[in-house]
Amino acid sequence: MYLERVDLFAGLNDTQVKTLKERSRIRSFAANTIVVNEGDEGSSLFVVQSGSLKAFLTDNSGREVTLSLLDPGDYFGELALLDDSPRSASVIAVTRSEVLQIPRTAFLGLIESDPTCMQTVVRNLVARIRLLTDNVRALALVDVFGRISRLFETMAVERDGITLIDRRLTQQDLANMVGASREMVNRILRDLVAGGYIEIEQQRIILCKKLPQSW
């Protein structure tokens, strides 16, 4: 299980982590299955064990904004451990996925038996909130090119000496992730390809050299 790698629980000892595992369960979801719906009652944290999921928001017109792409070791629904407010976003399984579901009751039981856990989790949660604040700042204050550049930087990995985004992403996927139109993303990608900054092969983006400071 990936529970030991979840930064929210960094600092918990082996016994505390074991207690959480024993009170949790594995759930499987087929591709294109909604795991949680925005507005639903929240009572669990989920840790991705396998597959790929997407957290997103939609408005009344059906327009979608992707908040994050979730891979093994990532987690979502952490606020449900601390309050009983409705879910703030929806999550869908992009591929067949397994998640570890940790009920709020399991977490609260751990806190009651060992109150020192609360300080650890709250400290880690604050770090998570700071990261989300940085993401919101980027959406509000950085132009579309800057948001794409930042996204590439955070998602890029090295594979056999090649820097790439190791995930198939359509232009609409990218648009949803940076809060822009597909047409604007298309124009930026075309210019980056023409300038030799990136190559696109089977919806995978290869970063050939450092992106320019501006578009």
Side-chain angles (χ1 to χ4, degrees):
M1 294 183 183
Y2 284 94
L3 190 55
E4 293 88 347
R5 291 170 49 183
V6 174
D7 54 20
L8 186 64
F9 299 126
L12 297 186
N13 60 43
D14 292 343
T15 300
Q16 293 163 341
V17 172
K18 181 180 178 182
T19 298
L20 281 179
K21 285 182 180 179
E22 290 173 345
R23 298 175 181 177
S24 306
R25 65 179 179 126
I26 294 288
R27 296 186 60 190
S28 299
F29 295 91
N32 301 315
T33 301
I34 294 291
V35 180
V36 299
N37 261 313
E38 181 182 359
D40 284 354
E41 177 184 355
S43 59
S44 300
L45 163 74
F46 297 89
V47 182
V48 183
Q49 303 297 299
S50 65
S52 177
L53 302 96
K54 177 177 68 175
F56 66 97
L57 297 171
T58 53
D59 61 19
N60 293 332
S61 64
R63 181 173 175 268
E64 179 182 305
V65 174
T66 299
L67 300 178
S68 59
L69 300 175
L70 303 162
D71 294 314
D74 293 330
Y75 61 93
F76 58 95
E78 62 273 15
L79 295 181
L81 296 182
L82 302 175
D83 68 14
D84 54 2
S85 298
R87 296 287 187 188
S88 57
S90 300
V91 177
I92 188 172
V94 178
T95 64
R96 179 172 179 79
S97 303
E98 286 190 340
V99 297
L100 178 69
Q101 182 177 10
I102 304 174
R104 182 193 302 129
T105 53
F107 174 72
L108 294 180
L110 178 62
I111 295 300
E112 290 173 2
S113 63
D114 190 348
T116 60
C117 296
M118 190 63 175
Q119 183 178 358
T120 298
V121 172
V122 169
R123 183 177 62 249
N124 295 336
L125 186 59
V126 168
R128 173 87 158 184
I129 291 172
R130 290 186 187 280
L131 176 61
L132 294 176
T133 301
D134 288 341
N135 291 340
V136 172
R137 181 183 294 111
L139 282 173
L141 302 178
V142 180
D143 63 16
V144 176
F145 175 79
R147 299 201 294 269
I148 289 176
S149 180
R150 183 173 183 269
L151 179 66
F152 285 0
E153 182 179 337
T154 57
M155 294 186 68
V157 296
E158 292 285 339
R159 293 282 187 271
D160 299 324
I162 297 174
T163 304
L164 75 162
I165 310 300
D166 195 17
R167 180 191 292 270
R168 286 184 171 84
L169 295 171
T170 66
Q171 291 182 7
Q172 189 60 59
D173 290 332
L174 290 171
N176 291 345
M177 294 175 73
V178 299
S181 68
R182 188 192 63 78
E183 291 75 16
M184 174 62 78
V185 170
N186 175 270
R187 290 199 294 271
I188 292 173
L189 293 183
R190 281 205 318 261
D191 285 354
L192 290 176
V193 170
Y197 293 98
I198 67 172
E199 296 177 359
I200 301 176
E201 296 180 0
Q202 298 180 337
Q203 296 181 336
R204 277 198 168 92
I205 297 170
I206 298 172
L207 305 181
C208 303
K209 59 182 178 180
K210 185 176 177 60
L211 299 187
Q213 291 296 317
S214 60
W215 182 47

PDB file of all heavy atoms in Angstrom, residues 52-84:
ATOM      1  N   SER A  52      -5.225   5.643 -12.699  1.00  0.00           N
ATOM      2  CA  SER A  52      -5.119   7.090 -12.859  1.00  0.00           C
ATOM      3  C   SER A  52      -6.501   7.710 -12.681  1.00  0.00           C
ATOM      4  O   SER A  52      -7.488   7.195 -13.218  1.00  0.00           O
ATOM      5  CB  SER A  52      -4.570   7.421 -14.253  1.00  0.00           C
ATOM      6  OG  SER A  52      -4.519   8.809 -14.467  1.00  0.00           O
ATOM      7  N   LEU A  53      -6.569   8.799 -11.921  1.00  0.00           N
ATOM      8  CA  LEU A  53      -7.828   9.480 -11.673  1.00  0.00           C
ATOM      9  C   LEU A  53      -7.669  10.972 -11.929  1.00  0.00           C
ATOM     10  O   LEU A  53      -6.555  11.480 -12.055  1.00  0.00           O
ATOM     11  CB  LEU A  53      -8.316   9.243 -10.236  1.00  0.00           C
ATOM     12  CG  LEU A  53      -8.540   7.788  -9.811  1.00  0.00           C
ATOM     13  CD1 LEU A  53      -7.309   7.262  -9.086  1.00  0.00           C
ATOM     14  CD2 LEU A  53      -9.762   7.632  -8.925  1.00  0.00           C
ATOM     15  N   LYS A  54      -8.796  11.666 -11.973  1.00  0.00           N
ATOM     16  CA  LYS A  54      -8.782  13.103 -12.230  1.00  0.00           C
ATOM     17  C   LYS A  54      -9.754  13.798 -11.287  1.00  0.00           C
ATOM     18  O   LYS A  54     -10.899  13.392 -11.155  1.00  0.00           O
ATOM     19  CB  LYS A  54      -9.180  13.373 -13.688  1.00  0.00           C
ATOM     20  CG  LYS A  54      -9.275  14.850 -14.052  1.00  0.00           C
ATOM     21  CD  LYS A  54      -9.612  15.038 -15.522  1.00  0.00           C
ATOM     22  CE  LYS A  54     -11.022  14.586 -15.859  1.00  0.00           C
ATOM     23  NZ  LYS A  54     -11.389  14.882 -17.261  1.00  0.00           N
ATOM     24  N   ALA A  55      -9.276  14.860 -10.631  1.00  0.00           N
ATOM     25  CA  ALA A  55     -10.134  15.705  -9.805  1.00  0.00           C
ATOM     26  C   ALA A  55     -10.524  16.923 -10.634  1.00  0.00           C
ATOM     27  O   ALA A  55      -9.670  17.543 -11.282  1.00  0.00           O
ATOM     28  CB  ALA A  55      -9.402  16.135  -8.541  1.00  0.00           C
ATOM     29  N   PHE A  56     -11.805  17.279 -10.623  1.00  0.00           N
ATOM     30  CA  PHE A  56     -12.259  18.356 -11.499  1.00  0.00           C
ATOM     31  C   PHE A  56     -13.480  19.066 -10.921  1.00  0.00           C
ATOM     32  O   PHE A  56     -14.144  18.572 -10.002  1.00  0.00           O
ATOM     33  CB  PHE A  56     -12.594  17.799 -12.887  1.00  0.00           C
ATOM     34  CG  PHE A  56     -13.772  16.849 -12.904  1.00  0.00           C
ATOM     35  CD1 PHE A  56     -15.043  17.287 -13.242  1.00  0.00           C
ATOM     36  CD2 PHE A  56     -13.602  15.506 -12.577  1.00  0.00           C
ATOM     37  CE1 PHE A  56     -16.130  16.416 -13.249  1.00  0.00           C
ATOM     38  CE2 PHE A  56     -14.682  14.624 -12.590  1.00  0.00           C
ATOM     39  CZ  PHE A  56     -15.948  15.082 -12.928  1.00  0.00           C
ATOM     40  N   LEU A  57     -13.759  20.242 -11.490  1.00  0.00           N
ATOM     41  CA  LEU A  57     -14.944  21.031 -11.180  1.00  0.00           C
ATOM     42  C   LEU A  57     -15.696  21.298 -12.476  1.00  0.00           C
ATOM     43  O   LEU A  57     -15.095  21.372 -13.550  1.00  0.00           O
ATOM     44  CB  LEU A  57     -14.562  22.375 -10.542  1.00  0.00           C
ATOM     45  CG  LEU A  57     -13.835  22.350  -9.196  1.00  0.00           C
ATOM     46  CD1 LEU A  57     -13.359  23.761  -8.851  1.00  0.00           C
ATOM     47  CD2 LEU A  57     -14.736  21.816  -8.101  1.00  0.00           C
ATOM     48  N   THR A  58     -17.003  21.456 -12.384  1.00  0.00           N
ATOM     49  CA  THR A  58     -17.800  21.857 -13.545  1.00  0.00           C
ATOM     50  C   THR A  58     -18.723  22.998 -13.134  1.00  0.00           C
ATOM     51  O   THR A  58     -19.140  23.083 -11.969  1.00  0.00           O
ATOM     52  CB  THR A  58     -18.655  20.701 -14.087  1.00  0.00           C
ATOM     53  OG1 THR A  58     -19.442  20.140 -13.029  1.00  0.00           O
ATOM     54  CG2 THR A  58     -17.781  19.606 -14.676  1.00  0.00           C
ATOM     55  N   ASP A  59     -19.013  23.884 -14.105  1.00  0.00           N
ATOM     56  CA  ASP A  59     -19.967  24.956 -13.814  1.00  0.00           C
ATOM     57  C   ASP A  59     -21.327  24.605 -14.391  1.00  0.00           C
ATOM     58  O   ASP A  59     -21.522  23.503 -14.934  1.00  0.00           O
ATOM     59  CB  ASP A  59     -19.462  26.298 -14.354  1.00  0.00           C
ATOM     60  CG  ASP A  59     -19.265  26.295 -15.873  1.00  0.00           C
ATOM     61  OD1 ASP A  59     -19.848  25.417 -16.560  1.00  0.00           O
ATOM     62  OD2 ASP A  59     -18.537  27.174 -16.380  1.00  0.00           O
ATOM     63  N   ASN A  60     -22.280  25.522 -14.281  1.00  0.00           N
ATOM     64  CA  ASN A  60     -23.654  25.248 -14.716  1.00  0.00           C
ATOM     65  C   ASN A  60     -23.767  24.997 -16.210  1.00  0.00           C
ATOM     66  O   ASN A  60     -24.703  24.351 -16.673  1.00  0.00           O
ATOM     67  CB  ASN A  60     -24.574  26.408 -14.309  1.00  0.00           C
ATOM     68  CG  ASN A  60     -24.730  26.513 -12.804  1.00  0.00           C
ATOM     69  OD1 ASN A  60     -24.613  25.517 -12.093  1.00  0.00           O
ATOM     70  ND2 ASN A  60     -24.999  27.718 -12.310  1.00  0.00           N
ATOM     71  N   SER A  61     -22.801  25.511 -16.982  1.00  0.00           N
ATOM     72  CA  SER A  61     -22.836  25.323 -18.432  1.00  0.00           C
ATOM     73  C   SER A  61     -22.124  24.045 -18.862  1.00  0.00           C
ATOM     74  O   SER A  61     -22.064  23.725 -20.046  1.00  0.00           O
ATOM     75  CB  SER A  61     -22.193  26.535 -19.128  1.00  0.00           C
ATOM     76  OG  SER A  61     -20.818  26.619 -18.792  1.00  0.00           O
ATOM     77  N   GLY A  62     -21.557  23.319 -17.892  1.00  0.00           N
ATOM     78  CA  GLY A  62     -20.866  22.078 -18.220  1.00  0.00           C
ATOM     79  C   GLY A  62     -19.382  22.247 -18.471  1.00  0.00           C
ATOM     80  O   GLY A  62     -18.686  21.271 -18.762  1.00  0.00           O
ATOM     81  N   ARG A  63     -18.878  23.477 -18.370  1.00  0.00           N
ATOM     82  CA  ARG A  63     -17.448  23.718 -18.575  1.00  0.00           C
ATOM     83  C   ARG A  63     -16.665  23.078 -17.434  1.00  0.00           C
ATOM     84  O   ARG A  63     -17.015  23.207 -16.277  1.00  0.00           O
ATOM     85  CB  ARG A  63     -17.158  25.211 -18.640  1.00  0.00           C
ATOM     86  CG  ARG A  63     -15.695  25.549 -18.865  1.00  0.00           C
ATOM     87  CD  ARG A  63     -15.527  27.049 -19.093  1.00  0.00           C
ATOM     88  NE  ARG A  63     -14.124  27.410 -19.202  1.00  0.00           N
ATOM     89  CZ  ARG A  63     -13.367  27.788 -18.186  1.00  0.00           C
ATOM     90  NH1 ARG A  63     -13.886  27.854 -16.972  1.00  0.00           N
ATOM     91  NH2 ARG A  63     -12.105  28.113 -18.363  1.00  0.00           N
ATOM     92  N   GLU A  64     -15.582  22.396 -17.790  1.00  0.00           N
ATOM     93  CA  GLU A  64     -14.817  21.639 -16.801  1.00  0.00           C
ATOM     94  C   GLU A  64     -13.438  22.254 -16.584  1.00  0.00           C
ATOM     95  O   GLU A  64     -12.795  22.705 -17.526  1.00  0.00           O
ATOM     96  CB  GLU A  64     -14.654  20.189 -17.272  1.00  0.00           C
ATOM     97  CG  GLU A  64     -13.857  19.305 -16.331  1.00  0.00           C
ATOM     98  CD  GLU A  64     -13.698  17.899 -16.871  1.00  0.00           C
ATOM     99  OE1 GLU A  64     -14.721  17.256 -17.186  1.00  0.00           O
ATOM    100  OE2 GLU A  64     -12.539  17.438 -16.997  1.00  0.00           O
ATOM    101  N   VAL A  65     -13.018  22.262 -15.329  1.00  0.00           N
ATOM    102  CA  VAL A  65     -11.654  22.672 -14.973  1.00  0.00           C
ATOM    103  C   VAL A  65     -11.013  21.514 -14.223  1.00  0.00           C
ATOM    104  O   VAL A  65     -11.557  21.028 -13.232  1.00  0.00           O
ATOM    105  CB  VAL A  65     -11.638  23.936 -14.093  1.00  0.00           C
ATOM    106  CG1 VAL A  65     -10.218  24.246 -13.633  1.00  0.00           C
ATOM    107  CG2 VAL A  65     -12.218  25.120 -14.842  1.00  0.00           C
ATOM    108  N   THR A  66      -9.873  21.054 -14.712  1.00  0.00           N
ATOM    109  CA  THR A  66      -9.160  19.962 -14.061  1.00  0.00           C
ATOM    110  C   THR A  66      -8.296  20.525 -12.939  1.00  0.00           C
ATOM    111  O   THR A  66      -7.462  21.395 -13.165  1.00  0.00           O
ATOM    112  CB  THR A  66      -8.262  19.218 -15.068  1.00  0.00           C
ATOM    113  OG1 THR A  66      -9.088  18.654 -16.097  1.00  0.00           O
ATOM    114  CG2 THR A  66      -7.494  18.090 -14.379  1.00  0.00           C
ATOM    115  N   LEU A  67      -8.505  20.007 -11.741  1.00  0.00           N
ATOM    116  CA  LEU A  67      -7.727  20.454 -10.588  1.00  0.00           C
ATOM    117  C   LEU A  67      -6.415  19.699 -10.468  1.00  0.00           C
ATOM    118  O   LEU A  67      -5.380  20.278 -10.133  1.00  0.00           O
ATOM    119  CB  LEU A  67      -8.547  20.281  -9.302  1.00  0.00           C
ATOM    120  CG  LEU A  67      -9.866  21.050  -9.229  1.00  0.00           C
ATOM    121  CD1 LEU A  67     -10.572  20.738  -7.923  1.00  0.00           C
ATOM    122  CD2 LEU A  67      -9.619  22.546  -9.366  1.00  0.00           C
ATOM    123  N   SER A  68      -6.456  18.392 -10.707  1.00  0.00           N
ATOM    124  CA  SER A  68      -5.239  17.597 -10.594  1.00  0.00           C
ATOM    125  C   SER A  68      -5.445  16.241 -11.240  1.00  0.00           C
ATOM    126  O   SER A  68      -6.575  15.757 -11.368  1.00  0.00           O
ATOM    127  CB  SER A  68      -4.835  17.404  -9.125  1.00  0.00           C
ATOM    128  OG  SER A  68      -5.862  16.763  -8.392  1.00  0.00           O
ATOM    129  N   LEU A  69      -4.335  15.643 -11.664  1.00  0.00           N
ATOM    130  CA  LEU A  69      -4.309  14.271 -12.141  1.00  0.00           C
ATOM    131  C   LEU A  69      -3.669  13.429 -11.049  1.00  0.00           C
ATOM    132  O   LEU A  69      -2.623  13.800 -10.508  1.00  0.00           O
ATOM    133  CB  LEU A  69      -3.522  14.172 -13.446  1.00  0.00           C
ATOM    134  CG  LEU A  69      -4.064  15.010 -14.603  1.00  0.00           C
ATOM    135  CD1 LEU A  69      -3.129  14.924 -15.804  1.00  0.00           C
ATOM    136  CD2 LEU A  69      -5.460  14.569 -14.998  1.00  0.00           C
ATOM    137  N   LEU A  70      -4.279  12.309 -10.733  1.00  0.00           N
ATOM    138  CA  LEU A  70      -3.888  11.535  -9.551  1.00  0.00           C
ATOM    139  C   LEU A  70      -3.344  10.174  -9.960  1.00  0.00           C
ATOM    140  O   LEU A  70      -3.990   9.431 -10.692  1.00  0.00           O
ATOM    141  CB  LEU A  70      -5.103  11.358  -8.628  1.00  0.00           C
ATOM    142  CG  LEU A  70      -5.760  12.674  -8.176  1.00  0.00           C
ATOM    143  CD1 LEU A  70      -7.169  12.414  -7.660  1.00  0.00           C
ATOM    144  CD2 LEU A  70      -4.921  13.338  -7.110  1.00  0.00           C
ATOM    145  N   ASP A  71      -2.156   9.863  -9.479  1.00  0.00           N
ATOM    146  CA  ASP A  71      -1.487   8.601  -9.766  1.00  0.00           C
ATOM    147  C   ASP A  71      -1.235   7.850  -8.457  1.00  0.00           C
ATOM    148  O   ASP A  71      -1.474   8.400  -7.371  1.00  0.00           O
ATOM    149  CB  ASP A  71      -0.165   8.870 -10.492  1.00  0.00           C
ATOM    150  CG  ASP A  71      -0.383   9.470 -11.878  1.00  0.00           C
ATOM    151  OD1 ASP A  71      -1.240   8.944 -12.606  1.00  0.00           O
ATOM    152  OD2 ASP A  71       0.293  10.464 -12.214  1.00  0.00           O
ATOM    153  N   PRO A  72      -0.739   6.606  -8.532  1.00  0.00           N
ATOM    154  CA  PRO A  72      -0.463   5.856  -7.307  1.00  0.00           C
ATOM    155  C   PRO A  72       0.413   6.641  -6.322  1.00  0.00           C
ATOM    156  O   PRO A  72       1.434   7.210  -6.700  1.00  0.00           O
ATOM    157  CB  PRO A  72       0.254   4.600  -7.826  1.00  0.00           C
ATOM    158  CG  PRO A  72      -0.360   4.379  -9.170  1.00  0.00           C
ATOM    159  CD  PRO A  72      -0.540   5.764  -9.739  1.00  0.00           C
ATOM    160  N   GLY A  73      -0.032   6.687  -5.072  1.00  0.00           N
ATOM    161  CA  GLY A  73       0.649   7.453  -4.040  1.00  0.00           C
ATOM    162  C   GLY A  73       0.007   8.794  -3.772  1.00  0.00           C
ATOM    163  O   GLY A  73       0.212   9.393  -2.710  1.00  0.00           O
ATOM    164  N   ASP A  74      -0.793   9.309  -4.737  1.00  0.00           N
ATOM    165  CA  ASP A  74      -1.524  10.553  -4.517  1.00  0.00           C
ATOM    166  C   ASP A  74      -2.768  10.274  -3.676  1.00  0.00           C
ATOM    167  O   ASP A  74      -3.199   9.130  -3.531  1.00  0.00           O
ATOM    168  CB  ASP A  74      -1.942  11.176  -5.852  1.00  0.00           C
ATOM    169  CG  ASP A  74      -0.759  11.663  -6.672  1.00  0.00           C
ATOM    170  OD1 ASP A  74       0.256  12.056  -6.057  1.00  0.00           O
ATOM    171  OD2 ASP A  74      -0.840  11.626  -7.917  1.00  0.00           O
ATOM    172  N   TYR A  75      -3.364  11.329  -3.150  1.00  0.00           N
ATOM    173  CA  TYR A  75      -4.566  11.160  -2.331  1.00  0.00           C
ATOM    174  C   TYR A  75      -5.531  12.311  -2.566  1.00  0.00           C
ATOM    175  O   TYR A  75      -5.171  13.365  -3.094  1.00  0.00           O
ATOM    176  CB  TYR A  75      -4.198  11.047  -0.850  1.00  0.00           C
ATOM    177  CG  TYR A  75      -3.484  12.255  -0.272  1.00  0.00           C
ATOM    178  CD1 TYR A  75      -4.198  13.274   0.361  1.00  0.00           C
ATOM    179  CD2 TYR A  75      -2.097  12.372  -0.334  1.00  0.00           C
ATOM    180  CE1 TYR A  75      -3.551  14.372   0.899  1.00  0.00           C
ATOM    181  CE2 TYR A  75      -1.443  13.468   0.204  1.00  0.00           C
ATOM    182  CZ  TYR A  75      -2.176  14.466   0.818  1.00  0.00           C
ATOM    183  OH  TYR A  75      -1.535  15.562   1.342  1.00  0.00           O
ATOM    184  N   PHE A  76      -6.780  12.111  -2.162  1.00  0.00           N
ATOM    185  CA  PHE A  76      -7.800  13.149  -2.292  1.00  0.00           C
ATOM    186  C   PHE A  76      -8.866  12.939  -1.220  1.00  0.00           C
ATOM    187  O   PHE A  76      -8.999  11.855  -0.650  1.00  0.00           O
ATOM    188  CB  PHE A  76      -8.433  13.143  -3.690  1.00  0.00           C
ATOM    189  CG  PHE A  76      -9.077  11.839  -4.089  1.00  0.00           C
ATOM    190  CD1 PHE A  76     -10.438  11.633  -3.896  1.00  0.00           C
ATOM    191  CD2 PHE A  76      -8.334  10.820  -4.670  1.00  0.00           C
ATOM    192  CE1 PHE A  76     -11.038  10.433  -4.274  1.00  0.00           C
ATOM    193  CE2 PHE A  76      -8.925   9.617  -5.045  1.00  0.00           C
ATOM    194  CZ  PHE A  76     -10.276   9.423  -4.849  1.00  0.00           C
ATOM    195  N   GLY A  77      -9.616  14.005  -0.948  1.00  0.00           N
ATOM    196  CA  GLY A  77     -10.676  13.927   0.051  1.00  0.00           C
ATOM    197  C   GLY A  77     -10.194  14.144   1.469  1.00  0.00           C
ATOM    198  O   GLY A  77     -10.901  13.812   2.424  1.00  0.00           O
ATOM    199  N   GLU A  78      -9.000  14.756   1.630  1.00  0.00           N
ATOM    200  CA  GLU A  78      -8.410  14.876   2.965  1.00  0.00           C
ATOM    201  C   GLU A  78      -9.220  15.753   3.914  1.00  0.00           C
ATOM    202  O   GLU A  78      -9.215  15.540   5.137  1.00  0.00           O
ATOM    203  CB  GLU A  78      -6.977  15.397   2.882  1.00  0.00           C
ATOM    204  CG  GLU A  78      -6.803  16.780   2.296  1.00  0.00           C
ATOM    205  CD  GLU A  78      -6.686  16.799   0.785  1.00  0.00           C
ATOM    206  OE1 GLU A  78      -7.018  15.774   0.151  1.00  0.00           O
ATOM    207  OE2 GLU A  78      -6.277  17.832   0.245  1.00  0.00           O
ATOM    208  N   LEU A  79      -9.951  16.747   3.365  1.00  0.00           N
ATOM    209  CA  LEU A  79     -10.728  17.615   4.247  1.00  0.00           C
ATOM    210  C   LEU A  79     -11.840  16.853   4.967  1.00  0.00           C
ATOM    211  O   LEU A  79     -12.282  17.261   6.043  1.00  0.00           O
ATOM    212  CB  LEU A  79     -11.328  18.779   3.440  1.00  0.00           C
ATOM    213  CG  LEU A  79     -10.310  19.759   2.837  1.00  0.00           C
ATOM    214  CD1 LEU A  79     -11.029  20.870   2.090  1.00  0.00           C
ATOM    215  CD2 LEU A  79      -9.402  20.345   3.912  1.00  0.00           C
ATOM    216  N   ALA A  80     -12.268  15.735   4.378  1.00  0.00           N
ATOM    217  CA  ALA A  80     -13.322  14.936   5.003  1.00  0.00           C
ATOM    218  C   ALA A  80     -12.875  14.318   6.319  1.00  0.00           C
ATOM    219  O   ALA A  80     -13.704  13.887   7.120  1.00  0.00           O
ATOM    220  CB  ALA A  80     -13.780  13.832   4.052  1.00  0.00           C
ATOM    221  N   LEU A  81     -11.564  14.271   6.557  1.00  0.00           N
ATOM    222  CA  LEU A  81     -11.083  13.735   7.828  1.00  0.00           C
ATOM    223  C   LEU A  81     -11.330  14.703   8.975  1.00  0.00           C
ATOM    224  O   LEU A  81     -11.366  14.301  10.136  1.00  0.00           O
ATOM    225  CB  LEU A  81      -9.583  13.432   7.751  1.00  0.00           C
ATOM    226  CG  LEU A  81      -9.134  12.346   6.774  1.00  0.00           C
ATOM    227  CD1 LEU A  81      -7.627  12.160   6.869  1.00  0.00           C
ATOM    228  CD2 LEU A  81      -9.857  11.026   7.041  1.00  0.00           C
ATOM    229  N   LEU A  82     -11.489  15.999   8.632  1.00  0.00           N
ATOM    230  CA  LEU A  82     -11.564  17.024   9.663  1.00  0.00           C
ATOM    231  C   LEU A  82     -12.927  17.677   9.785  1.00  0.00           C
ATOM    232  O   LEU A  82     -13.220  18.298  10.814  1.00  0.00           O
ATOM    233  CB  LEU A  82     -10.501  18.103   9.393  1.00  0.00           C
ATOM    234  CG  LEU A  82      -9.054  17.595   9.330  1.00  0.00           C
ATOM    235  CD1 LEU A  82      -8.123  18.725   8.936  1.00  0.00           C
ATOM    236  CD2 LEU A  82      -8.630  17.006  10.662  1.00  0.00           C
ATOM    237  N   ASP A  83     -13.760  17.601   8.760  1.00  0.00           N
ATOM    238  CA  ASP A  83     -15.106  18.173   8.883  1.00  0.00           C
ATOM    239  C   ASP A  83     -16.094  17.327   8.101  1.00  0.00           C
ATOM    240  O   ASP A  83     -15.720  16.377   7.415  1.00  0.00           O
ATOM    241  CB  ASP A  83     -15.140  19.636   8.417  1.00  0.00           C
ATOM    242  CG  ASP A  83     -14.912  19.796   6.913  1.00  0.00           C
ATOM    243  OD1 ASP A  83     -14.991  18.792   6.179  1.00  0.00           O
ATOM    244  OD2 ASP A  83     -14.654  20.928   6.473  1.00  0.00           O
ATOM    245  N   ASP A  84     -17.374  17.679   8.206  1.00  0.00           N
ATOM    246  CA  ASP A  84     -18.407  16.905   7.522  1.00  0.00           C
ATOM    247  C   ASP A  84     -19.082  17.725   6.428  1.00  0.00           C
ATOM    248  O   ASP A  84     -20.241  17.496   6.086  1.00  0.00           O
ATOM    249  CB  ASP A  84     -19.449  16.388   8.520  1.00  0.00           C
ATOM    250  CG  ASP A  84     -20.050  17.500   9.365  1.00  0.00           C
ATOM    251  OD1 ASP A  84     -19.688  18.684   9.156  1.00  0.00           O
ATOM    252  OD2 ASP A  84     -20.884  17.187  10.245  1.00  0.00           O
TER     253      ASP A  84
END
